[in-house]
Amino acid sequence: MYRANIVVAVCAFALLLSAAHAADKTVYQYVIFGDSVTDTGNVFRDGGVPDPLIYYKGRFTNGPNWVDYLNQSLSAKHKVQIFNYATGGGVACSFNLNNTRYPYARDAVNQTGNFLADLARGKVPTTKYTRRISVSWFAANDITVGAVARADVGC
């Protein structure tokens, strides 16, 4: 009887270890879309703005933005990958996109298309342990441009 209890205990321990190991393999991918509040350097990489002497590491902020804090907070407990497609000047409604004034800005459809293209090319790794979460943060540019340019046109 004693030997059977030891075997059961060892099996239970092995089962717990394998479950814990499987849990360790989970990778949380955050796919981010948005505007300058969310951009972590995409416009800077594409066009050299904003000026890094004034703004923090190619962001439109004077320090880390919410995506940086999200990554820092979540990475402390989980395996996290951030795929950020947000651009300064980005808009949710393509009607509000002003490519003349902001040539590197992208609307939600374009940002999503860039993500899907990267996914198809294998630039966004996917395994059975991948958990993908999409986050969008648009507003100010749509409100500003929409209110000024064409308040009567919907998106």
Side-chain angles (χ1 to χ4, degrees):
M1 184 67 168
Y2 177 73
R3 181 176 267 173
N5 286 341
I6 290 176
V7 170
V8 169
V10 169
C11 289
F13 182 70
L15 183 62
L16 286 173
L17 279 179
S18 66
H21 182 66
D24 285 346
K25 291 182 180 181
T26 301
V27 176
Y28 296 92
Q29 293 180 340
Y30 286 82
V31 182
I32 314 286
F33 307 103
D35 56 20
S36 59
V37 174
T38 306
D39 186 346
T40 54
N42 292 326
V43 169
F44 181 74
R45 279 187 296 278
D46 290 347
V49 293
D51 185 343
L53 298 176
I54 300 170
Y55 293 97
Y56 177 78
K57 296 185 178 182
R59 289 145 176 79
F60 291 87
T61 60
N62 61 352
N65 66 18
W66 73 268
V67 177
D68 298 311
Y69 291 117
L70 176 78
N71 189 19
Q72 180 183 12
S73 174
L74 295 174
S75 293
K77 294 185 178 185
H78 307 284
K79 292 179 184 174
V80 173
Q81 296 173 333
I82 302 285
F83 295 92
N84 191 340
Y85 294 88
T87 59
V91 292
C93 180
S94 61
F95 179 80
N96 294 330
L97 191 60
N98 185 342
N99 279 334
T100 304
R101 187 168 181 193
Y102 308 109
Y104 299 104
R106 303 289 180 259
D107 63 8
V109 172
N110 190 297
Q111 290 178 25
T112 303
N114 289 341
F115 162 68
L116 293 174
D118 284 352
L119 187 63
R121 284 188 227 123
K123 290 185 176 183
V124 179
T126 303
T127 71
K128 66 180 182 178
Y129 301 107
T130 303
R131 302 297 176 261
R132 195 168 289 130
I133 300 104
S134 173
V135 181
S136 297
W137 185 320
F138 292 98
N141 298 323
D142 287 285
I143 293 168
T144 304
V145 175
V148 172
R150 307 231 174 125
D152 60 333
V153 177
C155 179

